[in-house]
Amino acid sequence: MKNITLRTLNKIKQNGNKFACLTAYDSSFAQVVSDAEIEVILVGDSLGMVLQGKNSTVPVTVDDMVYHTRCVAQSRSKSLLISDLPFMSYCTEELALTNASRLMQAGAEVIKLEKNGRIVETIQLLNDYGIPTCAHIGLAPQQVHKLGGYRVQGREQEQAELMKQEAIALQQAGADLLLVELIPAPLAAEICAQVDIPVIGIGAGPDTDGQILVLHDMLGITPHTPPKFVKNFMLEASSIQEAIAKYGQAVRDGQFPSSEHCF
Ligand code: KIV
């Protein structure tokens, strides 16, 4: 696999192909994921749950993200590296610029931020300073307490229309990637078709350009019951390396997610 850049992901989309993404939080797993030719690694703030044992991503700090981004950047070789801005770390212009810079200097190549009332302006600001971004829409886990749980978003027509408009506004503001979480598969397909930038899905059906899962979920080692959209790839593999490689292939072949993983 050649070094993966945003240009590579754009070409994959233009050619009608698919790419695979996984989270990783440490140097050893980053190497395994990269060696398995997974195109994108996300240092997700899900580390609050899978590494720190918290019940949401809200307690994760910028220092946590910088530390884990550095660990992953150390040994992932070819995969594109995205890193999350955690809860309230981009709620003013100054915070957004300072904290995005910290993650970039720790080795991130793209900064992901979850939607809020000002995400379009924040993406525009980061874009003005040449910072590549991935806008995370649909379910925003950092707002779990406001939402009252991890619920499918965009089921009602009005909410779905707003999400489609939001996707276009984010592309126009300079977002390089979109990530859509926990939305109905037909809505994800519409969003993916109406924007030129690559769209990564989780719990969003088979029609996005890329798929992402939390590494610990697809290895079947999370203590909680996994959500419906997760598949445990260890059940059909004899090693972690094989499970990760099979996940990548299943995404590229369009075999994952199947209907049982969709809303
Ligand atoms: O933090 C994370 O791991 C994420 C994925 C669930 C997409 O945002």
Side-chain angles (χ1 to χ4, degrees):
M1 180 169 83
K2 289 195 180 145
N3 267 349
I4 304 293
T5 65
L6 285 170
R7 279 167 61 87
T8 324
L9 301 186
N10 277 301
K11 276 198 199 133
I12 292 175
K13 176 168 181 135
Q14 282 157 16
N15 294 336
N17 295 325
K18 309 242 175 235
F19 58 89
C21 323
L22 276 178
T23 65
Y25 316 100
D26 66 40
S27 165
S28 307
F29 272 115
Q31 178 127 31
V32 171
V33 171
S34 202
D35 287 351
E37 307 205 335
I38 300 298
E39 284 85 350
V40 176
I41 294 181
L42 168 69
V43 184
D45 60 358
S46 52
L47 67 85
M49 296 156 97
V50 294
L51 298 190
Q52 299 174 339
K54 305 277 172 30
N55 68 359
S56 79
T57 57
V58 171
V60 176
T61 66
V62 176
D63 285 347
D64 292 335
M65 294 308 302
V66 168
Y67 172 80
H68 289 282
T69 300
R70 228 180 248 134
C71 294
V72 168
Q74 195 82 11
S75 62
R76 65 83 221 196
S77 45
K78 309 245 164 85
S79 313
L80 181 76
L81 180 49
I82 306 182
S83 194
D84 262 343
L85 276 171
F87 182 66
M88 293 301 276
S89 67
Y90 49 102
C91 60
T92 65
E93 290 195 356
E94 195 181 343
L95 278 175
L97 289 172
T98 304
N99 292 326
S101 312
R102 287 190 66 197
L103 292 179
M104 295 291 287
Q105 288 178 336
E109 294 167 313
V110 177
I111 302 299
K112 177 162 83 64
L113 46 157
E114 290 182 12
K115 71 166 216 163
N116 58 29
R118 292 175 196 275
I119 187 171
V120 174
E121 291 82 350
T122 312
I123 293 278
Q124 177 84 63
L125 175 75
L126 295 177
N127 185 53
D128 288 348
Y129 284 91
I131 296 178
T133 52
C134 172
H136 180 151
I137 60 174
L139 177 80
Q142 291 170 13
Q143 293 171 28
V144 62
H145 301 306
K146 179 98 175 159
L147 295 170
Y150 299 99
R151 295 168 195 284
V152 179
Q153 303 293 302
R155 281 200 200 269
E156 297 83 29
Q157 185 67 18
E158 198 184 343
Q159 210 192 11
E161 284 307 319
L162 284 175
M163 213 182 288
K164 286 192 272 179
Q165 287 167 20
E166 189 175 41
I168 290 172
L170 287 163
Q171 170 169 269
Q172 283 168 351
D176 298 280
L177 299 171
L178 283 183
L179 186 147
V180 290
E181 177 162 359
L182 215 55
I183 64 172
L187 174 58
E190 278 188 71
I191 291 176
C192 195
Q194 70 173 15
V195 295
D196 298 322
I197 54 177
V199 179
I200 303 168
I202 177 165
D207 295 318
T208 53
D209 306 301
Q211 295 288 333
I212 187 163
L213 285 177
V214 168
L215 178 67
H216 294 56
D217 285 347
M218 57 77 72
L219 294 178
I221 52 172
T222 21
H224 55 78
T225 314
K228 171 186 158 99
F229 57 80
V230 169
K231 174 172 173 184
N232 179 351
F233 282 83
M234 274 308 276
L235 296 178
E236 48 196 63
S238 54
S239 67
I240 288 173
Q241 283 84 346
E242 190 188 344
I244 293 174
K246 282 196 163 169
Y247 161 73
Q249 210 45 54
V251 169
R252 284 178 219 109
D253 293 346
Q255 284 168 2
F256 176 80
S258 59
S259 54
E260 72 198 273
H261 307 114
C262 300
F263 300 96

